[in-house]
Structures are given as C-alpha cells and as structure tokens.
Amino acid sequence: MKRYLTLLHNFLVISLKRELEYRTNTILSVLFSFVWVVTTYIITTVVFGQAGKIAGWSIHDAILLILVYYVISTFLRTFIAPSIIDFSQNIRLGKLDLLLTKPVDVQFMTSCQKLNMIRSIRGFFMFVVLMLYATQYYPISLFTACLAFVFGILGILGMYAAYYLLATASFWFENIWNLEELFMSMYEAGKHPFDIYQGPLRAVALYILPVAGIGAIPTLIIRHAISPFTLALFACSTLFLFFLSRIFLRYALRQYTSASS
Amino acid sequence: MIKWAFRSIMNELVISVQHLTKHYKVYKKQPGLGGSLKALFSRTYETIKAVDDVSFDIAQGELIGFIGPNGAGKTTTLKVLSGLLYPTSGSVSVLGFNPWDRKAAFQKQFSLVMGQKNQLWWDLPAIESFLLNKAIYEIPEKQFQETLDKLVDLLDVRDVLNVQVRKLSLGQRMKCELIAALLHNPKVLFLDEPTIGLDVMMQKVMRDFIKSYNKEFGATIILTSHYMEDVKELCKRVVIIDHGKKLFDGELQGIIDKHARNRILSIVLSEDVPRKKLEAIGEIKSYEHPQATILVPRKEASERAAKLLQTLPVADITIEEPPIEAIIRDVFQTTK
C-alpha cells in the first residue's frame, strides 16, 4: 500500500511538472472551469426560478447537487480520465507494451499514471465552496458528512469501474474514439436529480452504470432523504463493478496482440 | 518445470523456449469501398503463424542475435519472453518464471528496449523518467545514484539529462531510453532493434555500450537487428528465424561454414590478361585491370588459388569469405 501511495505521489508530481511546462494552457484551463460553474449556476437559478420545485428538489437542493457533482466530476477528470483515455489509445497503437513490463499492478498504472493536476486545484476550490454551502443550508452532523464522503468515493469507484470496463473493450474494438466525450456525456446525467428517472432506467442509471447516483446519493445523504436499503444496494453495485473491471482486464490481457513494431 | 529447473542448474540456463507457437487471426479486406462495406457484414479471417514451433535455450551471460526479415517473428518471440503476449502453445521459462504470469519478482529482473517505442515522458527531461523508474522498481537511493552515474558516463549524456525529451536528437533519446531500461540492473535484456534509425557513429556507440554492459554486468541479452554490423560485432551465437520458423541456431561462423557455397579471390594482376583466362578459374564478379574479384567453390578455393598463381601474373592475392549479409540472404532464399 505504501509503495502505491509513493507511486501515486510520483505520478502527481510528474504530472504537475508536465502541465507547468505549458503556462497558457494552465491559465486558460482554470479560467474555463470558472466560466462553466457560473454558467451552470445561472441556468439552474433561471430554471428553478420559473418552476419552484422539480421532482421534490428545491433550488438549494439542486445547487448542492451541482456542487457535489462538480467536485466528483473534477476528481474523475483529474485522477482517472486522462490515464484511461491514454490506456484505450495505447492498446490500439501498441504502446501498452513497455507499460506492461513494469513491476506494478497493470490496472493501477493504466488508471493513475497520467493526472490532470490543474483540475484538482479547481476541484479543491469547489470542495471548499461545497462545504460552506452545505453547512449553511443543511444542518449536518459529522457522521452525515463522513457518510456523504464515503458514498461520494463509492460513486467515483463505480463510475471509474464502468469507464475502465469500457476502455478495456479496446482490446477487441480497437477504435473506441472519443471515449472521454462518450463517457462524460453519460456522466452529465449525474447532474440532474435522479428522481426524474423512473422504472428500469432508474435501476440502470443507479446500479448498473451508476451515473445517476454519483452526485445525487451524497446530496440525498446530506438532505437525509435516502433509505439505508438504497445505500446498501448502491455500495454493493459499485464494489461489484470494480471487481468486474479487474477480472475483465485480466481476461483481456490474455487477448492482447500488441501492434506490429 | 522440474525438468527445466534441473537443466537450469546444470547449464545455468536463463531462458528456455520449447515448441513455442504464437498464431494470430487477422481479417483480410478486399480493396475499395465495396470491400469495406462487405467487411461490415462478413469478414474473412486468416491465421498468421507469427512463431511456429520454435525452441532454444540461452545460458547466463550469452549475447544472442535474432536475425530475420520483417515479419519473421523476432519481435513476437521477444514479446512472449517479456510476458506481453500469451503464447498459443509451447512452454517458456525466463529466469525460472512463466513470463505471462507477470510476477513483479520477474519484471524487476528484465528489461525490454524497443527501438521504435519509448518509455520516457515526452514533455519532461529524461531525469524525471529515471526518478519515476526508481520508484517503480524500488531501487535503493545509493544503487540508483551509482548506476545512473555509471550509465550516464558510459553513454556520455550528462549534459542532456535536464533537457525535455522531445528536444533531444534520436541518438540522445535512444541513449536515455537505454538508461531508463537499465537503472534496475536487469539480469536479462531484450533489445529490439536498438540501433534503428541511428547514424553510423551512434550505432557504433550503442554497440560498444551493449558489449560493455554484457561484460560488466554479466547480463543475458537477446538482440534483434536488421544491421548485420550489430550482429557481427556483438553476437557469437545467432538464431535465424523466418516465417515464424527457426532456420539456424549456432555460432555465426557456423552459418558461413554451412551456407557459404563460395569464397572470394581478390587479386591484383601485374599484367593485363584476357577475361577468358580468369573465367577458367571461377565466376568473375568484377574485373578492372589490375584488380579482379572471382567467386570459386568453397571446397576448391585453395586449389583454384594455386592454379591462379601458377598460370597468371599475380602481384597480390587474398581469399575472403563472402559478406555475412549475402550468406543470410541466401539462407532465406533457399528455404523459401
């Protein structure tokens, strides 16, 4: 465990150094992220200003959901998306070869070796805003905050596993282009209250591809509006997805053909 | 496994490959838009025998040359030995491990260098990749510094360690790739065309380095290269492979003895002689007075040379082996 934390620290440092090589990119990236947050906030207040409540969610609930969604989304885009996109492309181009010879868990290497550190700075800033907002409008105990945090992590794990499963399919379907766009548009579903999903779609979006729950579940925990049964089912489904991703990778590696030299 | 372990102790075997086969299924598409549309619904697959029943053993400290034309199966064999590819059949043991188990204990003891692929971080100086490898391979600080210093001095790259990799020349980049691959002092090294694209001077530098690394660290090395100079200078033993099959395994001199049908008589004449008289000795490859090159059957070389000296005004004569490239080309052609 200590070794992997040391490695993660190395990946963090090396990624930050890499990003700092390109100053303009860094400045623009931070700027765009604030524009995105402000735009989303304005749209939400306009929509809720007209409708009052949507599926039982008030404007404060919706803003809380957006903040949770944004923090988790930033985490995914910082720690997971860059490496997984590379993973998919490296399979197609045969660049996975040298990485597979390293004495480190393949899933760890292919999930964490490239990080987008600038996004993590925005994520941290949004996390502080979230904390201030949540404590101002919702009376939460330390236990509730911890539970929301744990389920936020579980949501990330489930989302990561679904993303990784999709990327691993590149071993067979080599041309999975625009993987990030595909995944992130699916992930956009997490920005809305999940009560809008009904019937089988709700079950799929909550437990199979846990996009609907990723932002909503921690939000509902903060609002004290979720049953222990739903939480337990959500936790089981995310853990199952994670183990499935590991088994699937092991199977896929046996089919790896590399690319011609 | 027990059998291998026994042989390993007896012969200090490091690599053992028995009846290795690796087949790929590839689909063949007819040309044109029609072919592409047809391939959407129905595809014709073909099995490519990249490696076909290949066996060989390699002892500790050996430096072996893998020779073969493009698509012969050299790189595929190296990839199986590195644990990247799962074989269709056969058994492979490297340092007593099944490579495709991908055990960390095995991965810490070998390295794969591919001339056409890189592991260095493109946007950062090479030293950053070295430090990352230090963490990945858990190299103790003292050992890391000592090895790095030694390799940097041997390859003369101290002044480029802090320059972004993308700004380095191909030669400098290749040297840094080698350092990154050797920092953990691997016992087994797979070099897949390490000199590809390098100029003649840089090829020589790389060859000298590989030779000294093999000697100093006692590392077992498999080298694939299209440059015969690499193989001639570095490898005592070669394995020739074509269409996935092993054609030859032995000392380089063995190929010459087995496959060179002719020898070359290079002569300098003191007087001009008619071409016909030279044709009586052997096949003329070139003749421009006073120099001539004549091919003679290998077994009759001494006899023909003696006849030449007796019958013609020869000022100087040398008997040479044909170039190794020509002999190997001949091996591939005769086995087609």
Side-chain angles (χ1 to χ4, degrees):
Chain A
M1 188 65 184
K2 191 188 162 201
R3 178 171 175 233
Y4 281 88
L5 287 175
T6 312
L7 273 177
L8 192 61
H9 171 255
N10 275 280
F11 290 144
L12 286 171
V13 173
I14 213 164
S15 296
L16 188 61
K17 284 180 188 169
R18 192 173 50 84
E19 284 174 64
L20 291 176
E21 293 280 333
Y22 304 99
R23 280 182 301 182
T24 318
N25 267 8
T26 307
I27 295 163
L28 284 177
S29 170
V30 173
L31 196 67
F32 285 147
S33 74
F34 286 112
V35 171
W36 185 89
V37 173
V38 171
T39 322
T40 314
Y41 176 78
I42 291 169
I43 292 170
T44 311
T45 49
V46 167
V47 169
F48 277 83
Q50 300 292 321
K53 273 194 168 191
I54 296 175
W57 290 63
S58 71
I59 186 165
H60 292 310
D61 299 339
I63 289 172
L64 181 70
L65 172 64
I66 287 167
L67 285 170
V68 172
Y69 167 84
Y70 191 81
V71 169
I72 293 176
S73 155
T74 307
F75 189 93
L76 273 171
R77 285 174 185 266
T78 300
F79 290 94
I80 291 157
S83 292
I84 294 187
I85 292 160
D86 264 18
F87 174 46
S88 174
Q89 286 174 5
N90 287 344
I91 293 169
R92 196 174 64 82
L93 300 171
K95 286 185 179 172
L96 206 59
D97 293 358
L98 294 171
L99 200 140
L100 289 179
T101 63
K102 304 286 180 204
V104 182
D105 183 82
V106 176
Q107 189 161 1
F108 174 79
M109 276 294 271
T110 50
S111 304
C112 302
Q113 69 152 347
K114 194 175 174 186
L115 310 165
N116 192 329
M117 291 309 296
I118 299 302
R119 279 180 180 155
S120 75
I121 297 168
R122 308 184 232 159
F124 179 74
F125 173 74
M126 291 311 295
F127 183 71
V128 173
V129 175
L130 169 69
M131 285 292 119
L132 292 173
Y133 193 85
T135 46
Q136 191 181 345
Y137 288 97
Y138 299 90
I140 52 167
S141 64
L142 184 64
F143 173 75
T144 310
C146 289
L147 196 66
F149 182 77
V150 168
F151 273 84
I153 299 287
L154 278 173
I156 289 168
L157 189 72
M159 204 58 195
Y160 153 76
Y163 199 174
Y164 201 84
L165 278 165
L166 195 62
T168 309
S170 305
F171 279 97
W172 291 272
F173 313 108
E174 288 169 357
N175 246 344
I176 301 185
W177 288 108
N178 304 322
L179 189 65
E180 187 181 17
E181 278 76 10
L182 173 73
F183 189 77
M184 286 302 164
S185 15
M186 258 167 43
Y187 179 59
E188 282 287 303
K191 211 164 64 178
H192 310 296
F194 75 49
D195 301 270
I196 61 170
Y197 303 104
Q198 295 299 324
L201 183 63
R202 185 186 170 105
V204 169
L206 251 183
Y207 306 119
I208 296 173
L209 274 173
V211 284
I214 190 168
I217 292 219
T219 310
L220 288 168
I221 292 171
I222 293 170
R223 287 176 55 205
H224 302 287
I226 193 160
S227 72
F229 177 73
T230 311
L231 288 182
L233 209 57
F234 183 74
C236 288
S237 73
T238 53
L239 289 173
F240 172 74
L241 272 176
F242 175 69
F243 287 112
L244 189 66
S245 72
R246 287 195 70 76
I247 293 165
F248 189 47
L249 174 69
R250 215 171 296 165
Y251 175 71
L253 283 173
R254 287 178 75 113
Q255 319 298 319
Y256 182 54
T257 54
S258 183
S260 183
S261 60
Chain B
M1 190 67 195
I2 294 166
K3 190 180 160 194
W4 186 88
F6 178 72
R7 284 169 59 203
S8 173
I9 293 162
M10 296 305 288
N11 307 316
E12 291 180 49
L13 283 186
V14 170
I15 298 170
S16 176
V17 177
Q18 303 303 323
H19 307 291
L20 175 67
T21 301
K22 176 70 190 174
H23 293 174
Y24 291 110
K25 231 173 160 187
V26 291
Y27 96 91
K28 292 240 163 179
K29 189 182 84 68
Q30 287 168 4
L33 183 62
S36 299
L37 287 171
K38 199 182 159 196
L40 263 180
F41 302 100
S42 154
R43 291 187 172 188
T44 314
Y45 286 91
E46 190 182 307
T47 301
I48 304 286
K49 293 178 178 176
V51 181
D52 194 12
D53 195 21
V54 167
S55 302
F56 57 86
D57 292 325
I58 299 176
Q60 194 196 334
E62 271 195 283
L63 205 167
I64 306 281
F66 247 51
I67 311 172
N70 287 330
K74 309 180 296 287
T75 304
T76 304
T77 308
L78 287 196
K79 284 179 180 174
V80 173
L81 294 181
S82 310
L84 299 180
L85 300 180
Y86 199 87
T88 308
S89 65
S91 67
V92 175
S93 176
V94 180
L95 294 159
F97 293 92
N98 259 342
W100 49 91
D101 286 344
R102 293 206 181 94
K103 294 231 168 88
F106 164 62
Q107 289 170 318
K108 282 184 180 179
Q109 296 186 69
F110 88 94
S111 217
L112 170 68
V113 178
M114 302 172 105
Q116 308 202 64
K117 289 177 184 174
N118 47 57
Q119 66 162 308
L120 300 173
W121 285 74
W122 192 246
D123 298 318
L124 291 172
I127 188 74
E128 301 290 351
S129 298
F130 299 160
L131 288 167
L132 185 63
N133 272 10
K134 176 182 174 250
I136 288 174
Y137 286 96
E138 299 179 283
I139 308 167
E141 177 64 30
K142 192 167 174 270
Q143 183 195 325
F144 173 76
Q145 276 308 332
E146 281 174 6
T147 315
L148 183 65
D149 281 346
K150 199 179 280 181
L151 295 173
V152 163
D153 289 340
L154 269 170
L155 287 164
D156 191 23
V157 285
R158 197 167 290 281
D159 54 336
V160 298
L161 284 183
N162 292 305
V163 178
Q164 269 185 325
V165 170
R166 64 191 172 93
K167 288 180 182 158
L168 300 180
S169 70
L170 180 63
Q172 289 168 330
R173 214 160 63 222
M174 202 56 223
K175 286 176 174 178
C176 291
E177 283 288 342
L178 261 182
I179 293 175
L182 300 176
L183 280 170
H184 59 288
N185 293 338
K187 288 180 184 166
V188 173
L189 189 55
F190 301 123
L191 299 173
D192 188 24
E193 298 184 34
T195 55
I196 196 161
L198 301 181
D199 62 41
V200 184
M201 287 289 287
M202 198 54 74
Q203 282 178 28
K204 176 76 181 144
V205 170
M206 295 297 263
R207 279 199 291 270
D208 289 346
F209 173 76
I210 294 166
K211 205 189 284 181
S212 63
Y213 186 82
N214 173 244
K215 263 192 188 162
E216 195 169 331
F217 292 86
T220 307
I221 302 176
I222 299 186
L223 167 84
T224 78
S225 180
H226 284 295
Y227 301 121
M228 280 314 297
E229 277 305 313
D230 290 351
V231 180
K232 268 196 289 187
E233 202 178 317
L234 294 172
C235 311
K236 207 173 155 196
R237 177 182 160 198
V238 292
V239 173
I240 300 181
I241 187 167
D242 191 20
H243 290 97
K245 286 206 172 285
K246 189 177 83 177
L247 304 180
F248 177 87
D249 180 357
E251 291 198 1
L252 198 56
Q253 185 59 41
I255 308 175
I256 299 166
D257 296 339
K258 190 176 172 187
H259 293 281
R261 285 170 296 180
N262 299 310
R263 288 185 115 177
I264 300 167
L265 301 184
S266 296
I267 54 172
V268 178
L269 296 161
S270 52
E271 287 170 28
D272 202 356
V273 294
R275 202 176 168 88
K276 268 200 166 179
K277 284 195 173 180
L278 291 177
E279 279 171 352
I281 305 293
E283 184 192 336
I284 300 172
K285 289 305 283 180
S286 67
Y287 178 35
E288 200 169 324
H289 184 76
Q291 287 181 324
T293 314
I294 306 165
L295 279 185
V296 294
R298 189 175 171 76
K299 284 179 184 167
E300 297 169 27
S302 316
E303 203 179 296
R304 302 261 182 130
K307 186 181 169 189
L308 187 78
L309 287 168
Q310 281 167 6
T311 55
L312 297 171
V314 177
D316 191 19
I317 183 168
T318 54
I319 305 173
E320 297 161 359
E321 297 289 2
I324 190 76
E325 288 89 340
I327 300 171
I328 288 168
R329 206 165 42 237
D330 196 40
V331 173
F332 294 139
Q333 277 165 359
T334 51
T335 50
K336 262 185 186 171

